[in-house]
Amino acid sequence: MSRPRILVTRRWPAAAEAALAERFDATFNEKDIPLGLDQMREAMTAYDAVLPTVSDKLPASVFEGDTRTKILGNFGVGYNHIDIFAAKAKGILVTNTPGVLTDCTADIAMLLLLAVARRGGEGERQLRAGAWEGWCPTHMIGTKVAGKTVGIIGFGRIGRAFAQRCHFGFGMEVVFYNRSTIDAAEAARYRARQLATIEEVLAASDFVSLHCPGGSQNRHLMNAARFAAMKPGAFLINTARGDVVDEAALINALETGSIRGAGLDVYEAEPQVPDKLKSMDNVVLLPHLGSATQETRTAMGMKVVENITNFFDGREPPDRVV
């Protein structure tokens, strides 16, 4: 009996690729160049499974016409790059990789918070440029983190892991907004307090960290009105999805001093980043490193292996999203 034919759209950690090659008739993207829409559409007609990542775009047009693909094993938690309604209409199952990247993404959010508060990126650039003239009492004064209030938008796995780091690591007060009500006992585990609206969280917080899903429901959740609702001198941290933030509104808030700074790991049009953001010293920019550890990326790959193995063996994939 022939093995299912699968396409892996980008290079994965070696252990995950080896597991796929052992179980399936696997095609790997040896050059690791993102596939265009035409290539993705062709893949849907030629493979039983396509394994995309957040760098792949799968709009409704990719699902038009005849399709051979039965499952999309997404390498990542977020799947707003996939038109899941079009996939569902074609009877194509979609899975993701929750749980395994929680700690590393929360770590990156903490790194961004500390770096932007204490001007770490700016200081390193100054030193590397040979512009540091030595210690003095007024040099590169930043913002204290300990004891401040952090507001978390989205209190899922990553939001909770971030809350734990903020409160128990830095003595921060934690408030949060979540679409559904979080059990009081669960919130108490993180010494966190749920507020009724995003605006209440923004008004109370010295730092605002985004941990909500992307997609149409949350597109530009942080817009001009919401930046205006933040405390003067507050900071924005985003490790969620780029489309959650209206980048034009963010740039305006930074230029006008409505907020003091931002730490970003994700962007609206990755890998393009607005030149204005890149020119600002009060912005710390990372190239989507949230899950970028060997342990986590391998675990993500093995999650996909488990999902598509279950599917082709006639069992329910554990991480089905549609």
Side-chain angles (χ1 to χ4, degrees):
M1 182 176 178
S2 62
R3 298 187 296 173
R5 192 163 186 250
I6 69 167
L7 173 67
V8 185
T9 65
R10 299 297 301 269
R11 295 312 305 266
W12 287 13
E17 287 193 350
L20 290 170
E22 181 181 352
R23 303 182 192 192
F24 303 101
D25 177 6
T27 299
F28 299 101
N29 183 348
E30 299 290 345
K31 294 182 178 180
D32 204 24
I33 298 172
L35 303 182
L37 291 181
D38 289 341
Q39 293 170 298
M40 196 65 71
R41 190 178 295 109
E42 291 174 10
M44 299 289 286
T45 68
Y47 293 91
D48 299 300
V50 174
L51 279 48
T53 72
V54 295
S55 66
D56 300 306
K57 307 302 180 187
L58 287 86
S61 61
V62 165
F63 299 91
E64 293 174 354
D66 294 332
T67 56
R68 172 174 171 174
T69 298
K70 305 174 183 68
I71 181 171
L72 298 174
N74 186 53
F75 186 101
V77 174
Y79 47 88
N80 57 303
H81 54 291
I82 303 170
D83 190 320
I84 59 171
F85 300 105
K88 185 176 181 179
K90 280 288 187 177
I92 298 172
L93 190 147
V94 181
T95 64
N96 68 343
T97 62
V100 294
L101 48 69
T102 299
D103 285 328
C104 287
T105 305
D107 288 347
I108 284 288
M110 201 72 236
L111 169 65
L112 285 169
L113 187 153
L114 292 168
V116 72
R118 298 299 306 275
R119 301 174 68 175
E122 186 180 353
E124 189 194 30
R125 288 191 295 274
Q126 184 184 87
L127 190 148
R128 287 181 181 274
W132 183 42
E133 297 179 352
W135 187 91
C136 74
T138 58
H139 178 246
M140 208 159 284
I141 302 298
T143 297
K144 184 178 179 181
V145 171
K148 295 293 179 68
T149 298
V150 62
I152 298 172
I153 309 299
F155 208 63
R157 291 185 182 94
I158 299 171
R160 296 177 202 204
F162 182 66
Q164 182 179 41
R165 285 156 174 74
C166 289
H167 179 76
F168 294 101
F170 294 88
M172 302 181 81
E173 180 180 352
V174 180
V175 296
F176 69 92
Y177 170 81
N178 197 69
R179 281 185 297 179
S180 58
T181 301
I182 301 298
D183 180 77
E186 176 66 10
R189 290 180 57 198
Y190 305 94
R191 304 297 191 270
R193 181 165 50 94
Q194 184 166 9
L195 301 182
T197 66
I198 292 173
E199 284 70 21
E200 288 181 65
V201 170
L202 300 180
S205 302
D206 302 297
F207 299 88
V208 174
S209 190
L210 306 178
H211 298 281
C212 50
S216 58
Q217 284 188 317
N218 287 330
R219 177 172 171 75
H220 289 182
L221 176 142
M222 289 302 299
N223 52 31
R226 293 237 165 92
F227 285 119
M230 289 176 65
K231 288 175 69 172
F235 298 84
L236 178 77
I237 309 299
N238 187 18
T239 56
R241 284 291 177 265
D243 60 3
V244 173
V245 174
D246 180 340
E247 286 180 351
L250 171 61
I251 289 167
N252 183 67
L254 291 163
E255 287 181 331
T256 60
S258 175
I259 66 173
R260 185 167 179 179
L264 308 173
D265 189 43
V266 289
Y267 310 91
E268 278 197 82
E270 293 184 18
Q272 283 75 42
V273 179
D275 288 338
K276 284 190 175 181
L277 284 178
K278 290 189 285 187
S279 70
M280 292 177 174
D281 277 331
N282 60 336
V283 180
V284 177
L285 305 170
L286 294 178
H288 205 145
L289 296 181
S291 63
T293 65
Q294 186 67 43
E295 298 88 344
T296 295
R297 292 281 171 87
T298 298
M300 291 168 68
M302 298 310 292
K303 270 270 192 184
V304 181
V305 173
E306 180 185 12
N307 280 314
I308 66 168
T309 298
N310 276 27
F311 176 79
F312 286 113
D313 285 349
R315 302 189 304 272
E316 178 68 13
D319 303 306
R320 177 174 179 163
V321 295
V322 66

